[in-house]
Amino acid sequence: MENTLLVIVLAPLIAAILAGIFGRWIGRVGAHTVTILGVAIACGLSILTLKQLVTGEVQNYYGNVYTWLVSDGVQMNVGFMVDRLTAMMMVVVTFVSLCVHVYTIGYMAEDPGYQRFFSYISLFTFSMLMLVMSNNFMQLFFGWEAVGVVSYLLIGFWYTRPTAIFANLKAFLVNRVGDFGFVLGIAAVLYYTGSLDYKEVFATAHHAFAAKSLEIVPGYAWDAITVTCLLLFVGAMGKSAQMPLHVWLPDSMEGPTPISALIHAATMVTAGIFMVARMSPLFEMSETALNTVLIIGSCTAFFMGLLGLVNNDIKRVVAYSTLSQLGYMTVALGVSAYAGAVFHLMTHAFFKALLFLAAGSVIMGMHHEQDMRKMGNLKKYMPVTYLTCLIGSLALIGFPGTSGFFSKDALIEAVHESHLPAAGFAYFCVLTGVFITAFYSFRLVFMTFHGKERFDTSEAGHAHGARAVAAKHDDHSHGHDDRSHDHAHDHAHDSHGHHGGVPHESPWVVTLPLVLLAIPSVFIGWFTIGPMLFGDYFGSAIYVEEAHNVLGELAHEFHGSAAFVEHGVTQVPFFLAMSGVFFAWLFYVKMTDVPGKIANICSPLYKLFENKYFFDDAYFAVFAKGSRNLGQALWKVGDSVFIDGLLVNGSARAVGWFAGVIRGIQTGRLYSYAFTMIIGLAAMLYFFVLKH
């Protein structure tokens, strides 16, 4: 088992090294062949491991590969903890990564950084596997930081674009805020339990944290376990983009579309959700922490969904959808439905990766146009992309029978069942979110694939587009090396250009991953909801206190997948979703002038949504400008006035002044020295003779 796990982890790493360091020699075909092979091996062995665990052929694995270091009696190991929770995550990560690798062959076909890109995404897969397979907090933190570093490299992949550099820096800095809390939480775990190994920490947590308190503010004692859980959750807020640390995720759309699917659908952003589920024995000890998780998740699910209503960039709409769905998962964690959160994580990984890749296919077909207002009726030109995008959207809104329906409806029911103080507010948010999700999802579908064509397919537009893209290409590439072009401009060879030309269906390397992801988006919920939510699939991997066991309550009413679907079509979420689809059709197919009129009537609200609740402006004004002003103050006052002016130049001036005084005494005249000696002798006589 250990050898198998080592191959799963190391195959993508070795492939990343080969593509990254030797990419120039092995070429484009060599780079994508070796990385796809590495991830395919990892995916195949992950599926095998999951099958063996489910059928009972092998038991859960917990072991250390080697000891990295020992400090003050604390061992820091590299090891694996593979149970059914881990195995499911391994399959999701490697399968989505494999689809993204294949898709990238088509999407990045003309990009000069082809080998570098494959190296990065393979390295990302390795980092994510290290995170989910770890058996201790130190290795978890290594994987946590590694996915952060690789995401920084990927978001800023086109590093001559100022917007891409701004986006990756923003992602990096916001995640540092979350990671600061996370590392403090790990330190608290080590301080109270004396260990970093999961098994030891979970076994001793009740005793270690019992009746322990901290005074963060003098006079106010907090339970140590509450502080620890909240600090760990701050890490999850950064990585899983929960309010108010959500601001990096929409901007990260500046990276190539395959990255959006890999980082922001199935893997990196779900790391926080996975971590909290893994830490369930700790979170179950603090209702305060659970309520906090519940409120933050509810706000993210509701308020981030609203932003999807006004955005016109096809990728950003899907990004706000991701934020909202991560909020749903966090809500499930807050009501102790950890299995529900992880189940929604799994189904969401497939249909959201599908939606991102479908958006990328549309962008390719539209010659790198991302504004949905310049699309329309694309189903005529891109039937495969349309069908797969429709499947992904139906799964996202929870249409009965799709995978998203099973996970989303069960999640909403779990929130309704909870008795936590914040559960009422959370239920309102997730229920209202169903209508919002359906509206913006089908707004995207109708604006992109239905209605009248809003793009120029004429020969004039065709020629103008080619000239515009070529001109931009020349301007952009001037003075830069051949690896650093803007991706939108790398396709200048395309005779259409994004200002004109007939849209076209994407090549098979792009549509095949869409079809492969569409299949689980429809079917996977049917045969997994029973064991994962209401059965004993997770076993000891997830721990829930009896008082918080909302899924246990729901299990009494579960009578199979078909009955669940039958019950779902009579419930409020179904009618909310269908009304969302209806209003999207009404506003964006039939009465297309209505949205503009509503925006004018509700102008302040529209401005609030358009400016993303002014979070970015506030952060820029307070933190970015504030830190810059602080730096300038430290430079002008601290450096220039105090250090340079007072200490360095001031001491030099003092020495100069003192030397000037002493220099006045050195006259070179004998009678001056004789007079000085007489005065000195008189002073000495006065002090030593007359005074005594």
Side-chain angles (χ1 to χ4, degrees):
M1 183 78 167
E2 187 178 296
N3 291 337
T4 304
L5 298 177
L6 281 170
V7 172
I8 291 171
V9 168
L10 294 176
L13 176 63
I14 293 165
I17 292 168
L18 289 173
I21 297 175
F22 304 105
R24 189 175 293 179
W25 291 278
I26 62 176
R28 286 168 170 255
V29 175
H32 74 230
T33 303
V34 73
T35 50
I36 288 172
L37 183 64
V39 175
I41 290 168
C43 183
L45 291 176
S46 296
I47 293 168
L48 178 66
T49 302
L50 178 63
K51 173 191 164 284
Q52 289 175 333
L53 284 168
V54 169
T55 55
E57 291 174 49
V58 296
Q59 297 303 308
N60 293 347
Y61 178 85
Y62 189 100
N64 296 319
V65 179
Y66 72 92
T67 300
W68 178 44
L69 63 87
V70 179
S71 175
D72 197 23
V74 178
Q75 279 202 333
M76 296 181 191
N77 301 308
V78 174
F80 302 125
M81 177 179 183
V82 180
D83 49 26
R84 291 179 181 183
L85 171 61
T86 304
M88 184 272 290
M89 285 295 293
M90 286 159 60
V91 171
V92 168
V93 168
T94 53
F95 178 74
V96 173
S97 179
L98 182 59
C99 290
V100 169
H101 273 70
V102 174
Y103 178 94
T104 301
I105 297 173
Y107 193 86
M108 303 292 283
E110 301 300 322
D111 198 281
Y114 191 83
Q115 293 97 313
R116 179 165 60 96
F117 190 84
F118 272 98
S119 175
Y120 285 172
I121 55 176
S122 194
L123 184 62
F124 182 89
T125 309
F126 157 75
S127 305
M128 195 66 202
L129 286 169
M130 285 294 280
L131 189 157
V132 299
M133 292 169 69
S134 63
N135 70 350
N136 62 82
F137 284 89
M138 186 55 67
Q139 188 176 327
L140 172 73
F141 190 68
F142 165 78
W144 195 268
E145 291 303 300
V147 291
V149 169
V150 183
S151 72
Y152 170 82
L153 295 171
L154 286 167
I155 294 165
F157 182 76
W158 294 316
Y159 52 80
T160 56
R161 290 169 63 176
T163 49
I165 295 303
F166 182 82
N168 75 348
L169 192 60
K170 187 176 182 181
F172 196 77
L173 291 174
V174 172
N175 271 282
R176 295 292 67 72
V177 177
D179 294 352
F180 180 65
F182 189 51
V183 79
L184 287 177
I186 293 173
V189 168
L190 178 60
Y191 178 76
Y192 286 105
T193 65
S195 176
L196 289 170
D197 283 350
Y198 290 164
K199 262 192 177 176
E200 280 187 53
V201 170
F202 298 155
T204 60
H206 268 280
H207 173 71
F209 285 100
K212 298 283 197 325
S213 61
L214 286 169
E215 278 196 16
I216 299 173
V217 179
Y220 294 91
W222 284 58
D223 285 344
I225 186 64
T226 298
V227 174
T228 303
C229 289
L230 289 176
L231 287 170
L232 290 172
F233 182 63
V234 168
M237 284 168 65
K239 204 63 82 192
S240 292
Q242 297 298 293
M243 288 177 71
L245 299 181
H246 66 281
V247 292
W248 66 270
L249 193 138
D251 283 17
S252 64
M253 295 300 107
E254 290 294 333
T257 299
I259 294 319
S260 305
L262 187 61
I263 294 179
H264 308 129
T267 50
M268 179 177 139
V269 290
T270 58
I273 308 298
F274 166 78
M275 185 271 291
V276 176
R278 175 62 81 203
M279 301 301 144
S280 56
L282 301 180
F283 278 84
E284 283 299 285
M285 294 166 64
S286 173
E287 277 207 4
T288 306
L290 289 175
N291 274 296
T292 306
V293 171
L294 188 52
I295 291 167
I296 288 172
S298 307
C299 291
T300 307
F302 179 70
F303 292 109
M304 292 301 109
L306 289 172
L307 299 185
L309 301 176
V310 300
N311 219 289
N312 294 308
D313 183 310
I314 188 169
K315 276 175 69 177
R316 283 177 187 257
V317 173
V318 185
Y320 283 116
S321 163
T322 302
L323 278 171
S324 183
Q325 295 307 304
L326 287 165
Y328 272 83
M329 295 175 212
T330 307
V331 165
L333 296 171
V335 296
S336 297
Y338 302 101
V342 174
F343 183 47
H344 192 50
L345 183 162
M346 177 192 72
T347 61
H348 174 263
F350 296 117
F351 63 73
K352 188 52 62 67
L354 169 59
L355 282 171
F356 269 121
L357 296 185
S361 179
V362 168
I363 293 165
M364 286 179 72
M366 284 295 294
H367 315 291
H368 302 280
E369 178 59 71
Q370 293 185 202
D371 192 332
M372 296 188 297
R373 292 169 297 187
K374 297 176 183 175
M375 298 179 188
N377 198 31
L378 289 186
K379 65 175 183 176
K380 173 182 167 185
Y381 304 98
M382 308 180 73
V384 178
T385 301
Y386 168 63
L387 189 61
T388 51
C389 185
L390 183 64
I391 289 169
S393 298
L394 288 169
L396 173 60
I397 70 168
F399 187 79
T402 60
S403 62
F405 164 77
F406 291 106
S407 58
K408 204 169 183 179
D409 267 37
L411 193 156
I412 292 167
E413 288 293 324
V415 176
H416 185 54
E417 200 69 38
S418 176
H419 303 297
L420 288 177
F425 171 69
Y427 187 63
F428 167 79
C429 287
V430 294
L431 211 53
T432 316
V434 173
F435 174 83
I436 295 167
T437 302
F439 187 87
Y440 67 65
S441 299
F442 274 82
R443 174 179 175 263
L444 183 151
V445 171
F446 292 135
M447 283 182 79
T448 307
F449 296 101
H450 292 260
K452 63 179 182 181
E453 295 172 6
R454 297 183 294 278
F455 46 85
D456 187 1
T457 58
S458 66
E459 284 303 315
H462 175 113
H464 170 71
R467 284 197 302 272
V469 174
K472 281 185 181 177
H473 176 80
D474 292 340
D475 289 345
H476 184 83
S477 59
H478 179 68
H480 296 297
D481 68 67
D482 65 346
R483 297 173 303 149
S484 59
H485 306 321
D486 180 336
H487 186 236
H489 306 151
D490 286 332
H491 289 73
H493 71 284
D494 191 325
S495 62
H496 299 305
H498 71 283
H499 292 279
V502 179
H504 56 81
E505 185 59 273
S506 301
W508 72 267
V509 286
V510 171
T511 53
L512 177 64
L514 295 180
V515 174
L516 289 175
L517 286 165
I519 294 165
S521 296
V522 176
F523 298 111
I524 200 163
W526 284 91
F527 54 88
T528 54
I529 183 171
M532 284 184 79
L533 282 194
F534 308 116
D536 193 34
Y537 171 81
F538 289 112
S540 60
I542 288 172
Y543 171 78
V544 183
E545 291 278 355
E546 197 54 47
H548 299 157
N549 193 9
V550 289
L551 290 176
E553 295 295 319
L554 294 176
H556 303 306
E557 299 165 29
F558 180 72
H559 304 293
S561 302
F564 192 85
V565 174
E566 198 180 318
H567 174 74
V569 296
T570 63
Q571 298 303 299
V572 177
F574 172 70
F575 295 109
L576 284 171
M578 291 304 99
S579 59
V581 174
F582 170 74
F583 280 107
W585 172 80
L586 192 67
F587 290 170
Y588 293 98
V589 177
K590 283 292 173 190
M591 302 162 66
T592 52
D593 58 329
V594 172
K597 290 176 181 175
I598 294 173
N600 288 332
I601 295 166
C602 307
S603 182
L605 196 61
Y606 185 80
K607 260 192 174 166
L608 182 70
F609 292 163
E610 202 174 35
N611 289 287
K612 302 170 281 188
Y613 307 115
F614 296 98
F615 269 105
D616 285 329
D617 302 83
Y619 287 168
F620 187 76
V622 176
F623 297 110
K625 270 192 174 175
S627 57
R628 198 163 60 195
N629 291 340
L630 177 64
Q632 282 187 327
L634 289 171
W635 162 51
K636 286 180 178 175
V637 177
D639 201 16
S640 298
V641 176
F642 183 71
I643 296 174
D644 282 351
L646 188 63
L647 297 181
V648 179
N649 297 332
S651 59
R653 280 195 296 270
V655 169
W657 174 82
F658 185 69
V661 172
I662 298 300
R663 195 162 55 244
I665 298 170
Q666 300 296 322
T667 62
R669 295 184 178 91
L670 190 60
Y671 59 81
S672 294
Y673 299 152
F675 178 71
T676 304
M677 289 169 65
I678 291 166
I679 294 296
L681 188 60
M684 287 173 64
L685 284 170
Y686 174 77
F687 279 106
F688 288 103
V689 178
L690 296 178
K691 283 286 182 184
H692 296 286

